[in-house]
Amino acid sequence: MPELPEVEVLRCNLEPLLVGKRISDFQVLKPRVVRPESPQQLEDGVTGCSIKGVGRKGKFLWLDLAKARSRATFPLTIHLGMTGRLFVQDSGDPLPVHTAVVLGLGRKRLVFRDPRSFGRVTLETDSLNQLGLDALSVDFTVDQLGAAFARTIQAVKVRLMDQRHIAGLGNIYACEVLHRARVSPFVAASELRLAKLKLLHQAIHATLGRQIELGLKLKLDFAGEGKSDGLFYFGSASGQAPQSRERFRVYGREGEACPTCGSKIVRAEQSKRGTFFCPQCQQSE
Ligand SMILES: [Zn+2]
């Protein structure tokens, strides 16, 4: 599942391709990804609108739309879910299999492809409003991290992934930032002292920032499956592609040597997710 860095790289790539375009038509091929509105309501709401910007918070992406002769913008939110992908293609190209939604943009079109239909396209803003601070926003300070961790018995890794508290970290980057900060994934979030909170806050910035930097260096065009669409960057439906594995310190590296101390990396089940960590570097205090 794409996490904050992947969605930010996607946003940076899409923005120059989409800003200034007008939505000439809107088609829903998989009604399940449109909710709570009906496909017709969504079509009526966006057709004829211009795209003024592409925004992101946490793992959510949105298009800032404006109606003709209006300056007021409103978001069309797109959540990629597990397997959702966005492509900008020529309108004459054949549609990819599993296309869920198509926004016609004159000679181009924006295609939302979603094999498993866990993604979502909506004009409703509740999901955005329920998100905690974006993990890379300037408002997300060490104090805010402390506030997100206060008064809970939840393990730090589980809390880090709760989008209502901090938006953007999923299973992969939660493992990565905890290793970088040398924090055990199993320790209760509220037990972390200030020194550890500072290290973790730094690790979040450093890890996500570095991943975005790496992603922006790749020549991605998001034109479709099998081209330079970032499949090797996003990984496939079954997980991260082999080429992207080298980006990670611990995630997906069970049994390999920890890059810090050389001990074997361990995989454990935690809240039904695979947690990768170094038992030597990441001890509970
Ligand atoms: Zn280690």
Side-chain angles (χ1 to χ4, degrees), residues 43-239:
E43 184 183 339
D44 294 344
V46 306
T47 305
C49 290
S50 309
I51 302 173
K52 301 294 186 187
V54 183
R56 181 196 60 76
K57 185 173 184 185
K59 308 174 197 172
F60 283 77
L61 191 82
W62 65 85
L63 307 181
D64 276 316
L65 302 183
K67 293 197 185 293
R69 291 180 296 279
S70 166
R71 281 194 189 169
T73 61
F74 57 94
L76 175 67
T77 302
I78 302 170
H79 192 262
L80 299 172
M82 299 290 285
T83 53
R85 298 289 178 264
L86 287 169
F87 302 135
V88 178
Q89 302 182 318
D90 290 334
S91 49
D93 287 353
L95 280 176
V97 284
H98 305 302
T99 294
V101 173
V102 184
L103 276 75
L105 306 168
R107 280 188 216 161
K108 295 279 181 184
R109 66 180 173 216
L110 177 66
V111 174
F112 180 50
R113 174 187 178 274
D114 192 2
R116 291 170 72 183
S117 305
F118 290 141
R120 187 170 171 222
V121 181
T122 183
L123 286 169
E124 190 210 65
T125 52
D126 284 2
S127 319
L128 288 180
N129 297 338
Q130 284 162 9
L131 292 175
L133 287 171
D134 183 83
L136 282 185
S137 77
V138 287
D139 299 327
F140 178 60
T141 57
V142 176
D143 283 351
Q144 290 293 337
L145 179 63
F149 283 178
R151 291 179 296 281
T152 175
I153 53 161
Q154 270 186 329
V156 60
K157 182 185 169 231
V158 176
R159 194 68 160 189
L160 272 178
M161 290 168 58
D162 187 334
Q163 305 301 303
R164 293 167 300 178
H165 293 282
I166 304 163
L169 295 163
N171 196 40
I172 295 174
Y173 292 111
C175 291
E176 292 293 297
V177 301
L178 288 167
H179 181 266
R180 192 185 267 259
R182 302 172 75 103
V183 171
S184 163
F186 307 104
V187 74
S190 55
E191 281 174 20
L192 290 189
R193 302 199 185 275
L194 186 60
K196 281 287 185 194
L197 286 177
K198 283 182 179 167
L199 280 177
L200 188 54
H201 185 263
Q202 260 170 20
I204 292 171
H205 267 262
T207 302
L208 300 180
R210 168 112 182 101
Q211 293 297 330
I212 293 170
E213 205 178 292
L214 286 174
L216 291 178
K217 279 190 194 149
L218 300 172
K219 291 222 176 323
L220 306 175
D221 63 10
F222 293 97
E225 197 87 38
K227 301 180 186 173
S228 43
D229 68 334
L231 244 203
F232 64 95
Y233 177 66
F234 272 98
S236 63
S238 55

Side-chain angles (χ1 to χ4, degrees), residues 179 182 258-263 278-282:
H179 181 266
R182 302 172 75 103
C258 164
T260 310
C261 75
S263 302
C278 170
Q280 195 60 40
C281 296
Q282 295 170 264

